Amino acid sequence: MNRLKQHWPAVRAVFLTLVILHAIVYGIQTPVLSIQRLEHEYWQPLIGRVQGLTGDNEAESRARISRYSQQLANAKSYVTWPLAWLYGLLRAGQTWNMFDGAEQQSFQLYIDMRREGTDTWEVLYTAHDPTAAFEAERLEYRRVQACYIAFDAAAPGPYYPFTRWVAKRVFYTFEDADEVRVRMRRLDYRDRAVREARPERTLWAHGVRITRAQFERDMAALHD
Amino acid sequence: MTDHLDASGWRGRAARYVALWDEREPATALALLRIVMGCVLAYDLIYLVCLDLTLTIFDDVNAYNLGYSSELSVQPLVRELLGPGPLAIYVVVYGGIAAALLFAAGFMTRVSGVLVLVTQVQLAALYVDGNRGIDQLLRLAILLLVLSRSHETLSVDARLRHGQWARPSVLVPAWPRYMIIMQLVWLYTSAAISKEHYLWSSRGDYMALFYILRYQHFVRWDMTWLPAWVTQVGAFTTYWFEALAGLMIVACWRTRRDPACTKRSTRAWWVYKRAWITIGVGLHSTLLLLMNIGIFTTGMLAFYFCWISPAFLQRLPPGRLWSALRFVPPPASEGQTPA
């Protein structure tokens, strides 16, 4: 015990150094690339470079990359297991992607409502429109934003629960609301040539419509 | 603080390295980190409560809410203990606010710090999509602060144990602050490595921010009027600020070795260090003004308190205004303050 006390500063220095090195290794991204995943055009330059280095054909290159990526991921998990449990316990990692994506296409949320006995839709909410600011403060809270801010073509995981919550808010607020529509407007800032060569099929995406009857049926089922 | 070790060779270097991690410094910087981070986490949850979103976010998806923890195969601990009803959610949210405020105030600091970690982890488990990078980063920093002696000053604990709210000259181990510095440096380095998109490079004319500021839900106002060159300057600065973060370790090392800046190269590193910190504060303050991204900006700015060095605290002017923070070194270690 006395020896440990005597050497404690050195032990601590070694331990802290290992913690730092562990964090760096833990944070380095090692994607596991299956052969199917390597068929995406994104990986073509990598496959081409491996072919240039090894003389493999394309299929052999894919197999080689897939094998090496798996080995690398295994090696990382072996090296990082001593402290990986702590990160698991804290639900944290050491890979930090701050604004790493910068897509030229994004989405803008629109919430519309149709009143009973009418066919017209009223815009209740969209960004930067003071005339359509229904529940704006709540919708712009960071944990709610996580439900609908889309960085790419896909909707985030909680998007559909989010649309149902929006419908609930609308039906509770407007007694004559008959239907709610939540959808994302595509914003396309690609170059004109690219836009013309690969136009989007629709202006709107991820549209969900919920009627009051459907909502009331679901709420009744919840309390059955 | 440690004596300078003159021994040369690897033994001397190793001894200096061990001495670095064994250094002591005033507790003020760690206490300020504790206060600011506690306040950021408390504010985040108080704002959630004020918006009346507590049940909306964490309660069950079947009731037209956003949480789907009921469908997870491994249930969050709080649901195991308190059941699936709203009680578990209220305990975690209000308990999280209380723990964060107590941690900021420095009352039973280590216990309240652990409670902050427990409640934050449970919130992340109840609503996985809300577990953003800044939440994870703050949890890692809180863990380091729990292990530190940040409660030795500017805390209720200091008042109860020593009869003083502020003890600006009490010395505590400096390694937790160094670890927070390392965390910040790695954060930026990792962020630069992750920016592999061509728009973050000269291949894409550094146009990344131009498009990011067109994400309508991120920006506080419509920013489509902003000229492209402004965003290009911003993207260039952001990328290279992050990519060169690792050099801060060299800058700190060089300015430690030559605190009086006698060499011209040390003066250059001194300027680099101050310029890097200024750019960092400037970037995050600009984000705070322009973008609505929750506690990311305030949380990141909180991290910058890790750059408060003993030398800075020593240079604070005498008088009542700064007396709670001003460091007066004990006579034996005077002149050996790390840079």
Side-chain angles (χ1 to χ4, degrees):
Chain A
M1 200 64 190
N2 277 343
R3 276 186 65 146
L4 181 66
K5 262 187 188 167
Q6 191 188 342
H7 293 292
W8 174 242
V11 172
R12 182 175 53 193
V14 170
F15 178 70
L16 292 174
T17 308
L18 289 175
V19 170
I20 293 167
L21 293 175
H22 179 277
I24 292 170
V25 175
Y26 197 69
I28 290 171
Q29 296 187 53
T30 48
V32 178
L33 300 169
S34 63
I35 291 174
Q36 289 83 354
R37 198 174 163 192
L38 285 164
E39 279 167 9
H40 194 276
E41 67 177 305
Y42 178 83
W43 300 104
Q44 275 307 315
L46 176 68
I47 292 165
R49 280 201 291 276
V50 171
Q51 277 183 281
L53 284 170
T54 59
D56 289 349
N57 62 34
E58 198 173 315
E60 286 168 342
S61 289
R62 279 206 197 98
R64 187 189 289 271
I65 295 168
S66 176
R67 195 170 61 247
Y68 285 170
S69 75
Q70 185 64 58
Q71 285 171 353
L72 196 63
N74 289 345
K76 182 182 161 182
S77 63
Y78 282 126
V79 171
T80 56
W81 74 262
L83 282 178
W85 63 272
L86 181 64
Y87 287 102
L89 204 64
L90 287 175
R91 288 179 174 260
Q94 281 291 0
T95 306
W96 307 104
N97 306 314
M98 291 196 296
F99 300 108
D100 58 334
E103 300 301 326
Q104 292 166 311
Q105 291 162 284
S106 58
F107 293 87
Q108 183 169 352
L109 176 73
Y110 277 77
I111 297 171
D112 307 324
M113 167 185 76
R114 189 177 58 73
R115 291 180 195 270
E116 227 168 35
T118 64
D119 287 332
T120 54
W121 291 93
E122 292 170 43
V123 180
L124 290 182
Y125 173 81
T126 191
H128 313 306
D129 184 349
T131 63
F134 171 73
E135 297 278 1
E137 210 172 353
R138 287 193 176 115
L139 289 165
E140 289 162 12
Y141 175 65
R142 70 182 186 108
R143 287 188 170 94
V144 179
Q145 275 187 335
C147 301
Y148 64 85
I149 285 187
F151 292 93
D152 49 33
Y159 179 74
Y160 292 99
F162 164 75
T163 60
R164 285 156 52 95
W165 170 72
V166 167
K168 181 168 80 172
R169 296 301 310 162
V170 174
F171 291 133
Y172 281 162
T173 310
F174 300 96
E175 282 183 5
D176 58 343
D178 194 40
E179 191 171 6
V180 174
R181 180 172 68 187
V182 183
R183 55 186 183 160
M184 305 293 265
R185 182 166 186 254
R186 293 182 199 274
L187 303 176
D188 195 344
Y189 298 106
R190 292 176 300 170
D191 293 341
R192 182 191 292 255
V194 181
R195 282 207 306 267
E196 282 171 0
R198 300 172 65 182
E200 287 292 348
R201 281 186 299 113
T202 57
L203 178 64
W204 299 92
H206 310 312
V208 174
R209 288 165 72 154
I210 297 169
T211 60
R212 183 178 283 276
Q214 186 187 341
F215 167 71
E216 282 172 354
R217 205 168 45 242
D218 287 349
M219 294 310 277
L222 186 68
H223 298 291
D224 277 349
Chain B
M1 280 154 286
T2 319
D3 293 339
H4 283 287
L5 296 153
D6 295 328
S8 57
W10 72 269
R11 276 180 185 277
R13 285 198 194 98
R16 279 200 296 275
Y17 185 71
V18 170
L20 167 76
W21 291 110
D22 199 31
E23 265 179 3
R24 291 176 165 259
E25 65 172 22
T28 309
L30 286 165
L32 290 173
L33 279 164
R34 184 198 77 228
I35 292 166
V36 182
M37 287 182 183
C39 288
V40 168
L41 289 172
Y43 164 78
D44 181 46
L45 292 178
I46 290 170
Y47 188 50
L48 170 90
V49 170
C50 289
L51 290 174
D52 195 17
L53 283 172
T54 311
L55 289 180
T56 298
I57 288 176
F58 300 109
D59 201 12
D60 203 48
V61 72
N62 292 324
Y64 275 49
N65 290 312
L66 303 178
Y68 42 86
S69 53
S70 61
E71 291 166 24
L72 295 175
S73 53
V74 179
Q75 286 291 295
L77 179 68
V78 70
R79 280 176 67 101
E80 295 269 11
L81 291 175
L82 300 173
L87 177 66
I89 296 164
Y90 285 127
V91 164
V92 173
V93 171
Y94 287 97
I97 293 171
L101 289 175
L102 290 176
F103 185 65
F107 181 67
M108 298 175 69
T109 311
R110 284 188 167 140
V111 175
S112 56
V114 169
L115 288 175
V116 169
L117 289 175
V118 170
T119 50
Q120 288 289 325
V121 167
Q122 291 307 303
L123 288 173
L126 286 169
Y127 181 58
V128 181
D129 293 276
N131 185 24
R132 314 310 290 244
I134 190 65
D135 299 284
Q136 300 178 30
L137 189 66
L138 286 170
R139 283 202 291 277
L140 293 171
I142 298 285
L143 177 65
L144 288 169
L145 289 172
V146 166
L147 298 173
S148 79
R149 286 172 58 192
S150 67
H151 55 276
E152 293 288 351
T153 185
L154 303 177
S155 67
V156 177
D157 284 347
R159 173 73 183 164
L160 293 177
R161 285 182 203 163
H162 305 283
Q164 289 173 295
W165 291 103
R167 303 164 71 220
S169 296
V170 70
L171 299 178
V172 299
W175 66 263
R177 187 172 73 88
Y178 296 164
M179 290 295 280
I180 290 176
I181 289 175
M182 296 301 291
Q183 178 65 74
L184 192 65
V185 167
W186 170 245
L187 164 89
Y188 286 124
T189 309
S190 171
I193 293 170
S194 302
K195 285 187 172 58
E196 57 179 346
H197 199 289
Y198 76 102
L199 290 170
W200 277 108
S201 68
S202 57
R203 280 189 302 131
D205 295 328
Y206 291 101
M207 288 291 277
L209 270 185
F210 178 83
Y211 296 111
I212 286 171
L213 290 175
R214 275 158 176 71
Y215 291 152
Q216 294 301 318
H217 297 291
F218 270 161
V219 290
R220 290 192 195 277
W221 308 280
D222 182 14
M223 304 284 289
T224 46
W225 54 271
L226 202 65
W229 68 268
V230 177
T231 64
Q232 286 173 295
V233 170
F236 179 86
T237 312
T238 305
Y239 180 79
W240 287 105
F241 164 80
E242 290 177 352
L244 298 175
L247 288 181
M248 280 299 279
I249 305 296
V250 182
C252 290
W253 170 62
R254 291 299 297 271
T255 48
R256 278 174 61 86
R257 297 279 301 224
D258 180 14
C261 288
T262 52
K263 292 180 190 161
R264 184 182 287 181
S265 61
T266 314
R267 283 199 289 278
W269 284 114
W270 186 91
V271 170
Y272 176 81
K273 201 170 149 184
R274 266 117 193 108
W276 190 90
I277 293 170
T278 309
I279 291 171
V281 172
L283 285 176
H284 290 295
S285 304
T286 310
L287 284 185
L288 184 64
L289 283 176
L290 298 183
M291 299 180 87
N292 173 28
I293 39 181
I295 59 165
F296 173 74
T297 43
T298 44
M300 288 304 302
L301 284 169
F303 260 80
Y304 276 72
F305 281 87
C306 71
W307 297 112
I308 293 180
S309 67
F312 175 82
L313 293 170
Q314 208 173 335
R315 283 199 302 273
L316 289 174
R320 268 182 75 91
L321 185 63
W322 299 106
S323 62
L325 305 179
R326 186 166 177 269
F327 173 50
V328 181
S333 63
E334 211 157 7
Q336 292 167 12
T337 311

